[in-house]
Amino acid sequence: MSRGLDTARRLLAASRRAVAFTGAGVSTASGIPDFRSPGGVWTRHAPVMYADFLASEEARRRYWRARREMYADFRGARPNAAHRALAELEARGRLQGVVTQNIDGLHQEAGSTRVIELHGTNRRVACVACGRDHDVAAVYDSDDEAPCCGCGGPLKAATISFGQALDPDVLEAAFALARSADLLIVAGSSLVVQPAAALPVAAAAAGADVVIVNRDATPDPGKHGSARGAAEDAS
Ligand code: ZN
């Protein structure tokens, strides 16, 4: 382990175009649970598929019930040492940007300015029909989801839902950033779902060193293809 950390430090010191890729493990120290881990909100509530959300008012009610429960954890969360370290690296010109699977906005709150959010953000609520932004706190504090004040459409957190495809522009930007890196630091992602697993592969294929910092062992990136499907790990 210490040898691994020494290697990571050496690679970072030598790097000129480092990029970070972060997952749920980076935010657990901020009190945000991994929603798919045992006890997480998506193990207590049946996931609401995006198609069902669009089609059914009952599904939208279930969605918001789970969402409000989840939001209680988000509301009090503050950036931790990992978020601050990455923001500091960027400020010192040592990090080009962060690609994240997280939806908590804590990288930006810590001071990171270039953050690509693969799964969207919990810090916005938007109308799925017209795209108008709505006040996040007001929506979460109300007991029922008033429809969009502009068009009457349903409101939804600006995150990628189960069964909803990732935004292709966001995905392309993430892969472009990863390919531009000479060092990709992967932190707190188990890399078992696409496109997470494909990002280090793309970076390595473009010549980057890849450092993986994670609680659990991760699959060998070499064993994964570069498939880029819909989100299997929607937040
Ligand atoms: Zn609307």
Side-chain angles (χ1 to χ4, degrees):
M1 182 60 174
S2 63
R3 191 195 296 170
L5 284 177
D6 285 346
T7 305
R9 278 194 204 97
R10 187 170 48 73
L11 288 170
L12 186 58
S15 160
R16 294 292 169 266
R17 301 185 312 279
V19 168
F21 177 39
T22 66
V26 160
S27 288
T28 47
S30 291
I32 294 180
D34 185 345
F35 301 109
R36 288 163 291 120
S37 65
V41 67
W42 293 125
T43 62
R44 291 193 302 276
H45 295 268
V48 177
M49 303 302 289
Y50 186 56
D52 295 334
F53 178 94
L54 295 179
S56 151
E57 194 176 330
E58 185 272 334
R60 291 195 284 275
R61 274 198 298 273
R62 281 195 291 115
Y63 170 88
W64 278 105
R65 209 175 301 137
R67 211 77 213 172
R68 288 203 171 85
E69 206 174 291
M70 187 191 274
Y71 194 68
D73 291 321
F74 280 88
R75 186 161 263 182
R78 294 293 170 266
N80 64 50
H83 299 110
R84 289 193 296 271
L86 291 174
E88 195 187 315
L89 281 173
E90 186 193 327
R92 283 163 43 203
R94 306 298 309 284
L95 189 78
Q96 295 200 94
V98 178
V99 178
T100 187
Q101 296 173 286
N102 299 338
I103 57 171
D104 50 44
L106 292 177
H107 284 300
Q108 293 93 325
E109 194 175 324
S112 287
T113 62
R114 186 168 189 199
V115 182
I116 297 175
E117 298 171 303
L118 289 177
H119 296 163
T121 177
N122 210 34
R123 295 196 174 204
R124 282 181 50 227
V125 170
C127 169
V128 297
C130 75
R132 178 188 288 217
D133 272 322
H134 289 255
D135 184 79
V136 175
V139 173
Y140 279 98
D141 284 339
S142 65
D143 286 331
D144 65 289
E145 302 67 56
C148 173
C149 54
C151 75
L155 303 184
K156 185 179 161 302
T159 58
I160 303 295
S161 288
F162 291 98
Q164 184 179 10
L166 299 190
D167 182 325
D169 293 338
V170 171
L171 203 51
E172 190 46 49
F175 274 84
L177 187 62
R179 283 195 208 95
S180 77
D182 62 357
L183 174 65
L184 184 72
I185 306 162
V186 182
S189 171
S190 53
L191 295 179
V192 291
V193 291
Q194 297 293 354
L199 208 71
V201 178
D209 289 310
V210 178
V211 171
I212 298 176
V213 185
N214 195 50
R215 185 191 58 189
D216 304 315
T218 54
D220 179 352
K223 289 179 183 162
H224 285 264
S226 57
R228 300 190 215 163
E232 295 168 42
D233 58 342
S235 334

